Amino acid sequence: MKKEMFLKQFPKESEYLVSKIFNAYEMASEYEIMSFTEEFYTPNFWKKFQKKMNRLNVITNGIFEDSDRRQIAFVPDSFMTENIENFKILDFPCKLIKISINSKFKEYQHKDFLGSLMGLNIKRELMGDLILENGIGYIPVSSKIVDIILVELKQIGRAPCEIEIVEVEKIEELPNYNYDDKLITVPSKRLDSIVSAITNLSRNKVVEPIERGKVLVDYAEEKDKSKMIEIGSLITIRGFGKYKLFSDKGETKKGKERLLVKKYI
């Protein structure tokens, strides 16, 4: 595939990041080797790919189950292992780091951990999803920045912190996302219907924020109120939070759709 055709699948403003994906694809295709992105990509990027692309296997991984941000690999058949889960864990160029803090007076939040990491002048694309569990932060990071974090990250906010690398293959259970479940009933999976049900606002009142770019689907602005949303999509509504359209629960007697939505907390 030529680079121009590859880039056309994505918005113009994403050209730099998309070029990084193409470089990995081209390397694997030309030299018949495994090739990985250093960057972690949101679903509006990695969902574009099928499992196979011009005789190359396309595999994504963000360490956590159902990760939003994932590195992308292009792998010739000759390099595929029988156990795909082991392949995902062991071969990608990333490490899972654990950040522990000692603070008795303040509960530090997602933004505090991420803000301190980005304060090291690290690009967000070089880090995966951040999960907090019992006040401890877990985040996959590109192998190229692990040493920077180990040496330079001294505190989260004003609280001193300790950093360690987690050996993923040796732990029994990875940290999990925390959700609040919500069952909604909608006429269809149109974006305006789903946003209306989540926010408890009328469909007329959600049209303006959608058209003004305040609603994201899979991390990309979606201004088409009538867009049909697929199960598994992420919906971010500014001022209301981030949600995953988790599963279809069938229809009501009046023919409306019942959907399970999970809010990230």
Side-chain angles (χ1 to χ4, degrees):
M1 180 183 294
K2 293 191 177 297
K3 187 173 184 177
E4 294 76 16
M5 294 297 296
F6 191 92
L7 295 177
K8 281 184 178 180
Q9 301 177 75
F10 302 89
K12 182 70 174 176
E13 61 269 19
S14 302
E15 185 172 320
Y16 173 76
L17 283 173
V18 178
S19 293
K20 296 274 191 175
I21 304 175
F22 181 80
N23 291 343
Y25 159 75
E26 190 174 45
M27 183 74 71
S29 180
E30 184 171 350
Y31 297 105
E32 285 290 314
I33 60 173
M34 291 191 296
S35 187
F36 304 85
T37 64
E38 290 283 355
E39 292 77 15
F40 291 79
Y41 289 86
T42 47
N44 51 314
F45 290 94
W46 55 259
K47 280 187 176 181
K48 294 277 189 180
F49 299 102
Q50 303 296 324
K51 291 182 179 180
K52 277 273 194 177
M53 182 176 173
N54 294 349
R55 302 188 307 277
L56 293 173
N57 299 279
V58 182
I59 302 173
T60 63
N61 178 48
I63 293 185
F64 304 124
E65 186 177 1
D66 296 326
S67 295
D68 295 344
R69 297 175 183 271
R70 304 182 184 186
Q71 291 178 318
I72 301 171
F74 297 96
V75 186
D77 286 337
S78 58
F79 287 89
M80 293 295 291
T81 61
E82 292 183 6
N83 188 332
I84 192 66
E85 293 303 320
N86 282 343
F87 175 87
K88 289 182 180 182
I89 290 172
L90 298 177
D91 290 282
F92 276 78
C94 63
K95 298 290 184 183
L96 178 63
I97 64 171
K98 174 182 176 182
I99 308 172
S100 305
I101 57 177
N102 184 14
S103 176
K104 298 179 181 178
F105 306 105
K106 179 180 177 180
E107 183 177 346
Y108 285 87
Q109 300 178 355
H110 186 279
K111 63 181 180 180
D112 300 307
F113 282 81
L114 194 56
S116 295
L117 285 162
M118 295 187 70
L120 303 178
N121 291 320
I122 294 172
K123 293 181 179 179
R124 182 65 183 94
E125 292 82 12
L126 293 175
M127 299 181 285
D129 296 350
L130 170 64
I131 292 182
L132 298 185
E133 188 173 84
N134 300 321
I136 297 173
Y138 297 86
I139 185 168
V141 301
S142 168
S143 298
K144 69 189 291 184
I145 63 168
V146 170
D147 289 343
I148 296 173
I149 295 172
L150 291 175
V151 172
E152 297 189 16
L153 187 63
K154 304 296 184 184
Q155 58 189 47
I156 302 297
R158 295 185 178 180
C161 66
E162 294 182 0
I163 315 295
E164 63 180 283
I165 297 174
V166 178
E167 296 187 52
V168 176
E169 66 275 15
K170 293 184 179 180
I171 63 175
E172 293 184 3
E173 188 173 348
L174 288 168
N176 292 314
Y177 296 96
N178 292 316
Y179 301 105
D180 274 339
D181 290 356
K182 183 174 184 177
L183 196 62
I184 63 172
T185 302
V186 292
S188 70
K189 295 187 183 73
R190 277 177 50 129
L191 180 60
D192 55 355
S193 294
I194 291 172
V195 173
S196 173
I198 288 173
T199 60
N200 293 318
L201 298 173
S202 70
R203 284 177 65 177
N204 288 335
K205 287 187 177 181
V206 302
V207 170
E208 182 184 0
I210 291 173
E211 293 179 343
R212 290 177 61 189
K214 292 187 176 182
V215 176
L216 312 180
V217 176
D218 288 335
Y219 289 82
E221 287 186 6
E222 181 52 71
K223 297 182 180 182
D224 180 4
K225 65 181 181 181
S226 63
K227 181 179 177 65
M228 302 302 290
I229 307 301
E230 297 178 354
I231 296 296
S233 297
L234 299 171
I235 302 172
T236 305
I237 308 168
R238 293 198 172 113
F240 290 89
K242 183 171 73 171
Y243 303 80
K244 175 173 281 191
L245 198 60
F246 199 77
S247 62
D248 196 324
K249 292 295 184 180
E251 294 186 353
T252 67
K253 292 181 179 179
K254 294 184 178 180
K256 291 189 175 183
E257 298 186 49
R258 299 169 69 244
L259 307 173
L260 177 61
V261 174
K262 290 180 176 280
K263 180 180 181 181
Y264 288 70
I265 58 174

